[in-house]
Each structure stands twice: as structure tokens, then as C-alpha cells.
Amino acid sequence: PNINGYNRKKYVCKLLYMSLLGYEVNFGHREAVDLISSTKYSEKQIGYLAVSLLMGEDSTYMQTVLGFLRRDLHNGVEWNACLALNAISNICTREMAERLTPDIVVQLLSPSASMFIKKKAALCLLRLLRKFPESVNAQQWAGRVIPYLGHRDIGVTQSVVSLVTALAQQFPEETRKAASFAVRRLKSLVIDNEYAIDYVYYKVPAPWLQIKLLRLLQYYPAPESPEVRAILLSILRHIIDVSQDTPRELQQMNAQYSILFEAINLGIHLDVDQGLMQECAVVLGRFITSRETNVRYLGLETMAHLAAYIDNLDSIKLHQAVIIQSLRDRDVSVRRRALDLLYSMCDVSNAKAIVSELLRHMAIADVSLREEMALKVAILTEKFATEYSWYVDVMMRLVSLAGDHMGDEVWHRIVQVILGNEELQVYACKISLQTLKAPVCHESAFKVSAYVLGEFGHLIANASDSAPIDQLKALQGKMSSTSQSARAVALTTVGKFINLFPEIKTLCLRVLDRYRGALDAELQQRACEYYALGTLESEDLMPTVFEEMPPFPERQSALMSRLLKREADTEDQRTWVYGGRDVNRERRGLVANAASGKDGSGSQEAGSVETPSTPTSATAAAAAPADGGAQPDTAKKDADDAAQPVDAAPMDESVAKSRRHYARLLWENDGILYDGDEIQVGIVAQYKPPAGRIGVFLGNKAKAPIYNISIQAIPADPSKLTLQASAGQEPAPETLMPLAQARLFFDASCLQVFTSAPLLRITYTVAGAPTVSELQLPVTVAHFMDPVTISVSDFFSRWKQLGDAGIGESQNVLKSAFLSSDAAALEWLRSVVGGMGFALIHGADPDPNNIVGVGIATTQAGRFGCLLRVEPKPSHGLTR
């Protein structure tokens, strides 16, 4: 219908009202778009509002709306540009981020734009950056925004500092100059008192801007310049001195204390002066006793941050009684911060007192706090235990009190610790039997007790009231009241009793026979298999199957990873975690490397770098369940270490573990290359010399989506090896959800013989933190080799020719300790040589243990023969 602007606006308002009432409005969209083209402010405002609320991303009118948005941004009318920026922030589609970001940056940087437009443009960019970080090309304009931290208008600066803070978390290298601008602006506000009177809030100059600048500086390492460092120290000192006077008005107190807490956090992050930090501890001690809930909350949180970094905890331990009392505060958020502070301030001297208080509080704690409290008690007990009996008593009491609020990781970890410490095993068996005999036994405690008795019950079999029949009766008495998963563990224990205690074999078989008809498939299968094993006449099979579990390899507890919480992608990320001093100091090194664009190997990529030789992941590796798993193949494990020369220094275990993935893929064409806490990288390859195709599979193991994914294969010498992404495949996805997988294939071409393996560089962003993982790609000349069979006489004649010529020969002696301990090691070594492209020539060497192989490496430059002799010496544990 032909209606005027006023009536069109009136009818669209009615549509908006209908939408607010909950009705679906799928008509009238064209009229809303027509209102946007109006020259009247009221009509354009209603038009943009209607478009924001009624239209979806897939609307047919969205292209028209984009055209009007770009026109309003550039038509020079302030209110038009402001309405357009508001609409972009509200609608915020990916297409808007891709097409309108350059126009918004122009408005922010334009010298003719008003202050109001600049503020809205900065906040609009922040909105787009948080929602579509991969679509705004922030690297191109981030450096141009930083100088606006020194803008004369405080409102513009305040909007820009929010944008720069978000940029600093994702692009620390591009924004590294922001730290110096922030220090200068803080000095002008705090020391020089250069500010407009309009921005003074209850005698505090621009408190929001001060807080944001102090928070921004926490994303960068301490300044290297002594002059800048001195200015920053004077700013912090001035803020602390001003806070000593108690404000009379509540608003002034809130503003001053907010700045003070952020200043203390910055001082802790930069580690500017230990004396100043001790003074901060005294100030915080006054705050945690305040009557104001908000002040107590911030005091406890900041003191937890201080405890995570400070060298001497004595000044914090003075307030231990007050902190423990805060566990009973009426506000749950204060109770949570008190728990975090107790966890951070715990050490050997006060561990028993803190753990005892937490266990006492466990029974009355909020349900939302019990899981976190249980995890922290478990970690503290393991970390600071000085007596084996104390550790076992605390952990068994813990699973009894809070077993319903904990995952299986806790009881898995208890079993792992007991398996790895012989001194614990006898006492753990006694406590396990007492637990089973108690009137009430929690299911998690039942699982621990059943597992421990199945492994080590024979250690107490001769003690009074601990005979095998007593252990079986105690176990059987609790089985009927437990879940199916607990009964599965108990059935395994009964099977092990058959092996450990032949005198009660008949009774054990009766228990198993009762579950052979169980409805649950898992219970039925276990009972049937164990019963069949127990009735076989073979004397060797039972001891082999039910052999005592070996100690688990030393690894960081999986419980720690449960505490490393991530914030939402739309929030500012923490610069520290509630994990104690060790975790935060490690994390500080990673953040410093990310901000400076350096890693331990000299890489200039931003973010933490993970390589096969220097893994730098800050989160803990997940522990394997304690109720299953076979012993690793010793030959394979030690043979992977054989890549290390005799005179090389011993490798760190985490380094050796990462190298084993790479080494195994030298003779296998598929497998896992890297298995971290956030990502898992797998490789599958096919070769037809001189070409090959390598598939890289990237899995997301994090709890949050990962963005900005880039997978690059970089040869060490492009003149000898080329690696290019295969044609006709989809690029790496922009977003990878948790537990999802992406794949990318590369075509390899061997031009000449090369000696250095290529590099696989994977970059991604998770929870706002950019990460670069650099891994050696298992592609060597051996992958472009074809096996060739020749006669024994031909082999030695050619070997002699090479030796006489004095060229083309190389020798190395490798440590091979596994040869003397594993009878199957030599056969496995032959399979490795065959897997690397060599044809085995049997009978060529007088020594039957020696391995002789022949292959031809095919490159585009030609074909080259290769002769190999492997001389293992099991008695010496060496291989040449």
C-alpha cells in the first residue's frame, strides 16, 4: 500500500510489539527496510530496530540492509552513522563482519569523525571481534588503533582500551606497543592529574579508565626499560598510598578499592618489588575482614592471586584463621574465593591443618562447591603428604564424604599412587579391608578397596582378621548394594583371588557362577571369562592373565586439569589461575613468550609453541583409568629411545614420550603424531616414489571450540622437497567444536635427497588464547625408498666398492638397552628395518642377529641405491 512514513513507522511499531509478546512476525520486513532509507531520525531508528529484532541472517532483504548500513556510515551525518553502528552491533552477522569492518575502522580512525562516532565504532569493532574473530582481519588494523590510547578525549580512550584489551589476548605481537601507551596514559591520570573535570567520580579521576588500563598491562610482560619500569612502580605506589585513607562515601570507597585491587594484580603479574607485595598482603588482610561483602570478595580473590606468585607466604598465613572462617560466609561467592585462597596458600607446613578444615567443612558445604573442594583436597593431599598413612586415611575419608560429587578421576588417581609406592600398599590393604567391613561403604571407596585388595591382598593374608576368606566375605557383603560398574571391578578382584589364594578357589568360582547369567552384558562377560580361566587345567595361564599391575608411569595428575577453568569466549581471559605457585609460574613463562613472539627454540610466532622436543602445554595430561590397560611393550618403548646417540644427554620423560610418536611414524604410515590437552594430531600417509600424500587429522580435545585454524607443512629445503595442499579439498574449517575432527591432505614430491624433516605448523585460538604448535612431520628419504632384493654376493661386492671409494658411508652407535631384556626385540627390529623401505637379505651376514637390507631411494633427480647393516649387541645394550 502507498502509505506515508509516519503510518509506516506506526504499523512497524505494532509489529515490534507483537514480536515482544512472543508471536512470530514473518511479514512487514519490507516496510522496516523502507524505514531505514528515510531521512527522518525517528523513522530510521524504528527501521533499524525492527531489522535487528525481526529479520534473521538468511533474510532476502539482508543485502539491501548492508547497502543502507554502508551508506549511513559514510554520509557524514552523525546520528545516521551512530544508528548504523548500533544496528551492526545488534545484528552482527558474519557477512557484516567481513564486509563492513573496513568501513567501521575508517570511522574510528577518521580525523573528521566526531568523538561520539569514534566511541561507538570502537565498541562495534569489539563486538565483531568477539563474535567473529576470524572474519575481521584484526592483524591489518590493530596497530593503527593503539595510538588512540592516548587520545585527548577520555571517552574515546575508554572505548579503545576495551578493544585493545580484546586484541591483546588474541594478537599480542601486533599490539605489543600498547603497553607503553597505557603506562603514559596512566601517568597522566594518576601522577600528573591531567583529566577533564567531567570524568571525576567522587574525587577519583576516571576510575573505569584506570581499571581498564591496569588490566590491559597484565597481558604483557614487565617492561624492559628501567625508566618505564620506574614510572610503573611509582604509579602503583601512589595508588596504594592513596588507598590508605578510608573514604567517607561508599561510592568513593568502591572506586578507590577497585583501582587498588587491579593495581595489586598488576604488581603481582609484573613482580615489580617483593617489598611492595608484602605491603599489599597487609592491606589485603584488612580488606578480608571488611563488613562489605564486595570488599571481602575482592580481597580474597586478590590475595589468592598474591599467594600464587609470592615467594614468602608468611604474611598471608597470618590470616589463615580468618580465611577458614570465610568458608562459612553467608555469600557463596565469598566461600568459593576462600576455598581458592586456601588452595593457593597451602604448603608443607600448613597442609594438614587446611586439609583437615576442608574435610570438616565438606559435609556442610554447598553442593556446587563440593566437587571443586574434593578435587583440591585430593591434589593438596597428594602434593604435600609426608606420611603414607595420612595420605591413605585422608583419601579414603574423602571418597566416603564426597564420592557422589566427584568423577572417576579421583579414585583412579588414588589407585595409581598406591600402585607406584610400595610403602603404601600394606597400609592401604588394611584400610581397604576395614572400609569393606564398615556398616556403610561409599561406592567410590568400594572400588578403591576392591582394586587394592585384588592387587595386594596377599600382603596381609597372614594377619589376624585378614585371611583370604575374610577378604572375600567382606567384598561379597557389599557387592549386592553397589552399581554395575563397581560390581565389574569386584568381579575382577574375585578373579585375582583365584590366582592369589588357591584355598578359596571354590568359593570364588561360586561367586563368578552366580553372575554368569547377569542381565548386564559387561558383568556377564567378565564372570564367564574369569570362570572359564579358573576352571582350566593350565597352571601358567592364570598367573599370566592376572599378573600384578605394574606401576603407572610418572605423569602429572589428571585432577589438576579439572581446575584450569576457561572463561567464555566473549569475556576477558584471566592472566592467572587458581593452581598454586608452580602452575602460575609455568603459565607466566608461556604468556611472556606469547607476548614477545618467542619460544624456547627461537620461533617468532605468537602464542605458546609445542614441538616434539620442547612441549610447552600448561595443562595436565589426562590420566588413564586405573582399572584396565595392558603393560606397554618394553621393546617398542626402548627402541624408540634408540634414536638418541650414546653420548647424548638423558631426555626428559615428556620429551621422550613426544619423540616416540614421531619415531614410530618413521616406519609406520599411520598413527598419532601428537596427543596434547587441547589438540590431537594424527597422520596417515601413502607413498609412490618420488611422490606421496600425507593426511593430517586435527582433533579438538579442549572443552571449548577452537578458531582461526591454520595447518601448514613447511619443508626444511624447498629445493629438495615440496609439500603443497592437495587440490580439490575443502580448506581447514574456521571453527572446530569439542570432540570434532578436521583433516587436510598434502602432496609431497621428493626432488633430491634431503636430510631434515619438514615442519608441521598448526595455529589456532582456544578460549581467546592464540597457540602455535610446531611438530616435526615424519617425512624422510626412507619414505621414498623401494625395497630391492639382490644376492648375497652382489650385496658384499657393492658394499666393498662403497668402502673402497670412501664415499657414501655413515655409521652411528645407538643405545639399545631393550635388546638384553626382551627376547622378541630382534624380530621387532627387523620389522622396523623392513618398514623403512629396505628389503631384508637373509643369510647375508655370518652373525644371524645382524640385519642386512637393500633399497633404492627414488627422487626426481634420479635413483640412488642404499645398503644397510644393523649390528645389535644385546650383551652391551648397543646397536651399530
Side-chain angles (χ1 to χ4, degrees):
N2 187 16
I3 57 176
N4 57 30
Y6 174 78
N7 288 326
R8 181 178 286 110
K9 179 182 70 173
K10 180 175 66 176
Y11 296 140
V12 170
C13 286
K14 293 181 179 182
L15 294 179
L16 289 173
Y17 182 69
M18 293 166 58
S19 176
L20 294 176
L21 290 178
Y23 297 100
E24 183 178 358
V25 180
N26 52 14
F27 61 94
H29 296 178
R30 176 64 189 177
E31 306 303 324
V33 175
D34 290 341
L35 284 177
I36 295 176
S37 61
S38 174
T39 57
K40 293 183 179 180
Y41 175 81
S42 60
E43 296 176 6
K44 187 180 290 288
Q45 181 187 35
I46 296 298
Y48 276 128
L49 181 61
V51 168
S52 302
L53 295 177
L54 303 180
M55 290 175 53
E57 295 185 19
D58 55 348
S59 173
T60 56
Y61 297 109
M62 193 54 68
Q63 294 297 325
T64 305
V65 173
L66 285 173
F68 285 131
L69 287 171
R70 177 174 283 113
R71 188 193 66 180
D72 287 340
L73 284 174
H74 295 288
N75 69 356
V77 179
E78 182 182 59
W79 57 265
N80 281 348
C82 291
L83 287 175
L85 291 169
N86 285 343
I88 295 171
S89 300
N90 290 329
I91 303 173
C92 198
T93 64
R94 184 179 299 275
E95 188 174 8
M96 286 184 180
E98 294 173 351
R99 296 177 56 179
L100 297 181
T101 295
D103 302 280
I104 302 172
V105 173
V106 168
Q107 294 299 316
L108 175 59
L109 303 180
S110 173
S112 60
S114 66
M115 301 301 106
F116 199 56
I117 292 178
K118 289 181 181 294
K119 288 189 287 186
K120 284 189 173 291
L123 297 177
C124 184
L125 285 173
L126 176 61
R127 166 70 169 155
L128 295 175
L129 176 66
R130 284 175 170 173
K131 191 169 183 181
F132 304 108
E134 71 283 353
S135 301
V136 296
N137 296 323
Q139 299 95 323
Q140 299 180 5
W141 48 266
R144 300 163 60 192
V145 172
I146 292 174
Y148 278 77
L149 292 174
H151 197 276
R152 65 182 184 278
D153 187 275
I154 291 181
V156 173
T157 304
Q158 191 164 299
S159 300
V160 171
V161 74
S162 298
L163 174 60
V164 174
T165 301
L167 289 170
Q169 298 167 50
Q170 300 189 37
F171 311 104
E173 179 63 20
E174 287 79 359
T175 60
R176 64 185 184 277
K177 296 181 180 179
S180 58
F181 280 93
V183 171
R184 287 199 294 268
R185 193 57 188 259
L186 269 176
K187 180 176 180 294
S188 67
L189 287 173
V190 178
I191 305 297
D192 301 334
N193 295 322
E194 296 177 358
Y195 49 82
I197 194 66
D198 295 339
Y199 288 92
V200 176
Y201 178 80
Y202 287 90
K203 302 180 182 179
V204 181
W208 294 276
L209 180 57
Q210 289 190 52
I211 293 170
K212 289 184 177 183
L213 290 172
L214 291 168
R215 185 169 299 170
L216 171 62
L217 289 171
Q218 295 177 42
Y219 292 98
Y220 299 98
E224 299 178 357
S225 170
E227 180 182 355
V228 177
R229 192 178 180 90
I231 293 174
L232 197 52
L233 183 59
S234 65
I235 293 172
L236 298 179
R237 171 67 66 181
H238 183 274
I239 293 174
I240 294 174
D241 292 342
V242 169
S243 67
Q244 300 299 324
D245 300 331
T246 304
R248 295 183 179 180
E249 299 183 8
L250 178 62
Q251 292 85 349
Q252 183 182 0
M253 180 187 70
N254 289 337
Q256 281 192 4
Y257 286 173
S258 299
I259 296 172
L260 174 63
F261 288 130
E262 213 59 59
I264 294 175
N265 284 329
L266 176 59
I268 297 168
H269 172 73
L270 300 180
D271 196 16
V272 289
D273 182 65
Q274 284 295 320
L276 183 63
M277 294 300 99
Q278 295 295 338
E279 184 178 339
C280 291
V282 176
V283 174
L284 292 173
R286 187 175 78 246
F287 290 147
I288 63 176
T289 59
S290 172
R291 299 179 60 182
E292 291 290 332
T293 303
N294 291 338
V295 176
R296 289 200 308 275
Y297 173 90
L298 291 173
L300 290 169
E301 182 180 45
T302 308
M303 190 174 282
H305 188 187
L306 182 62
Y309 281 118
I310 197 170
D311 294 328
N312 189 349
L313 293 171
D314 292 342
S315 57
I316 298 179
K317 291 178 183 178
L318 295 174
H319 310 286
Q320 182 169 315
V322 177
I323 299 167
I324 291 175
Q325 186 62 32
S326 297
L327 286 174
R328 297 169 175 82
D329 195 277
R330 63 181 182 273
D331 191 293
V332 65
S333 60
V334 174
R335 296 197 293 269
R336 190 181 297 276
R337 295 290 82 83
L339 173 62
D340 294 332
L341 177 52
L342 287 172
Y343 175 70
S344 296
M345 65 181 287
C346 188
D347 59 16
V348 176
S349 64
N350 61 0
K352 287 189 177 181
I354 290 178
V355 169
S356 177
E357 287 293 338
L358 292 178
L359 286 174
R360 186 179 299 114
H361 187 72
M362 190 83 67
I364 60 174
D366 294 321
V367 176
S368 60
L369 275 178
R370 286 184 186 175
E371 180 183 4
E372 183 180 352
M373 187 177 294
L375 288 172
K376 290 182 176 179
V377 168
I379 293 172
L380 293 178
T381 305
E382 179 182 341
K383 187 175 182 180
F384 299 113
T386 56
E387 302 172 6
Y388 295 118
S389 59
W390 180 73
Y391 173 80
V392 175
D393 291 340
V394 170
M395 295 306 292
M396 293 302 287
R397 184 182 174 191
L398 175 64
V399 295
S400 298
L401 285 173
D404 293 332
H405 306 281
M406 299 185 303
D408 289 340
E409 294 89 350
V410 175
W411 81 266
H412 287 174
R413 185 60 184 172
I414 298 173
V415 170
Q416 289 175 11
V417 173
I418 294 174
L419 285 176
N421 294 273
E422 294 184 4
E423 299 84 353
L424 273 174
Q425 292 165 3
V426 174
Y427 186 78
C429 285
K430 294 178 181 178
I431 297 299
S432 297
L433 186 56
Q434 293 176 12
T435 302
L436 291 178
K437 290 181 177 181
V440 179
C441 178
H442 191 274
E443 184 170 305
S444 296
F446 175 83
K447 291 179 180 178
V448 175
S449 301
Y451 194 99
V452 171
L453 288 177
E455 292 293 332
F456 310 112
H458 61 280
L459 299 177
I460 61 171
N462 296 325
S464 59
D465 299 329
S466 302
I469 186 64
D470 296 326
Q471 297 183 32
L472 179 61
K473 287 182 178 179
L475 182 69
Q476 192 176 358
K478 295 291 188 299
M479 281 183 65
S480 58
S481 59
T482 59
S483 66
Q484 293 178 349
S485 61
R487 276 183 251 177
V489 177
L491 287 178
T492 302
T493 301
V494 173
K496 292 192 175 186
F497 278 173
I498 298 176
N499 179 49
L500 292 175
F501 310 122
E503 61 269 28
I504 61 171
K505 177 178 178 179
T506 303
L507 296 176
C508 293
L509 290 176
R510 289 179 185 175
V511 176
L512 295 174
D513 185 56
R514 188 182 311 158
Y515 284 92
R516 290 168 68 189
L519 295 178
D520 183 72
E522 175 69 18
L523 295 180
Q524 185 184 103
Q525 182 175 356
R526 290 195 184 210
C528 291
E529 291 180 358
Y530 298 159
Y531 187 89
L533 288 171
T535 54
L536 288 176
E537 297 181 357
S538 174
E539 297 181 358
D540 299 329
L541 186 59
M542 283 291 291
T544 302
V545 174
F546 290 111
E547 184 181 2
E548 182 179 309
M549 284 290 292
F552 282 81
E554 289 295 329
R555 62 179 70 183
Q556 192 174 6
S557 172
L559 306 179
M560 186 69 72
S561 62
R562 299 284 298 272
L563 297 179
L564 301 179
K565 300 177 180 178
R566 304 183 185 276
E567 294 79 8
D569 294 337
T570 57
E571 300 174 357
D572 291 339
Q573 304 301 311
R574 277 189 178 275
T575 58
W576 60 284
V577 293
Y578 298 110
R581 287 173 291 172
D582 297 336
V583 173
N584 279 281
R585 283 171 179 168
E586 181 182 2
R587 192 178 189 275
R588 173 185 286 187
L590 297 178
V591 172
N593 289 341
S596 61
K598 299 178 182 179
D599 61 25
S601 60
S603 172
Q604 296 301 312
E605 294 293 335
S608 61
V609 179
E610 303 165 0
T611 68
S613 58
T614 56
T616 57
S617 177
T619 53
D627 55 351
Q631 184 176 6
D633 189 336
T634 307
K636 290 186 178 181
K637 175 179 180 295
D638 292 339
D640 292 337
D641 294 337
Q644 183 180 350
V646 174
D647 56 351
M651 290 188 298
D652 179 76
E653 183 178 355
S654 60
V655 175
K657 177 184 175 183
S658 186
R659 283 188 176 177
R660 289 184 196 117
H661 288 302
Y662 172 81
R664 188 172 291 108
L665 288 171
L666 294 179
W667 59 82
E668 295 180 1
N669 286 337
D670 61 88
I672 295 175
L673 176 61
Y674 176 75
D675 192 3
D677 300 306
E678 294 176 345
I679 62 171
Q680 184 183 71
V681 182
I683 297 293
V684 59
Q686 293 180 343
Y687 294 94
K688 187 176 182 180
R693 171 167 287 193
I694 300 101
V696 179
F697 294 81
L698 176 65
N700 181 8
K701 295 178 61 180
K703 296 180 180 180
I706 60 178
Y707 305 97
N708 303 335
I709 301 171
S710 173
I711 304 176
Q712 297 175 287
I714 306 172
D717 188 348
S719 64
K720 297 181 179 179
L721 175 70
T722 62
L723 287 167
Q724 296 180 346
S726 302
Q729 64 176 331
E730 296 183 359
E734 297 178 351
T735 302
L736 193 62
M737 302 304 294
L739 303 181
Q741 188 182 73
R743 65 179 182 179
L744 196 65
F745 288 90
F746 295 91
D747 292 330
S749 180
C750 183
L751 307 180
Q752 300 179 34
V753 175
F754 58 93
T755 57
S756 298
L759 184 70
L760 180 65
R761 178 177 295 161
I762 302 175
T763 62
Y764 59 92
T765 299
V766 58
T771 304
V772 180
S773 296
E774 293 187 345
L775 311 168
Q776 276 187 297
L777 194 61
V779 179
T780 64
V781 175
H783 290 96
F784 300 95
M785 188 175 297
D786 291 317
V788 177
T789 302
I790 61 177
S791 64
V792 175
S793 58
D794 286 343
F795 176 84
F796 281 104
S797 63
R798 297 185 184 184
W799 186 276
K800 188 174 184 303
Q801 291 175 1
L802 292 175
D804 294 340
I807 58 173
E809 182 176 352
S810 176
Q811 292 189 25
N812 202 353
V813 179
L814 307 176
K815 291 192 297 185
S816 310
F818 65 94
L819 291 173
S820 59
S821 60
D822 197 318
L826 291 176
E827 286 300 321
W828 180 82
L829 193 57
R830 288 188 177 91
S831 67
V832 170
V833 174
M836 298 186 72
F838 291 92
L840 301 183
I841 309 300
H842 298 284
D845 199 289
D847 189 342
N849 288 337
N850 291 351
I851 303 171
V852 175
V854 181
I856 293 181
T858 303
T859 70
Q860 291 188 8
R863 307 183 73 191
F864 306 91
C866 184
L867 307 180
L868 173 71
R869 290 184 67 185
V870 180
E871 300 176 357
K873 298 294 182 184
S875 59
H876 297 80
L878 300 175
T879 300
R880 185 176 69 172

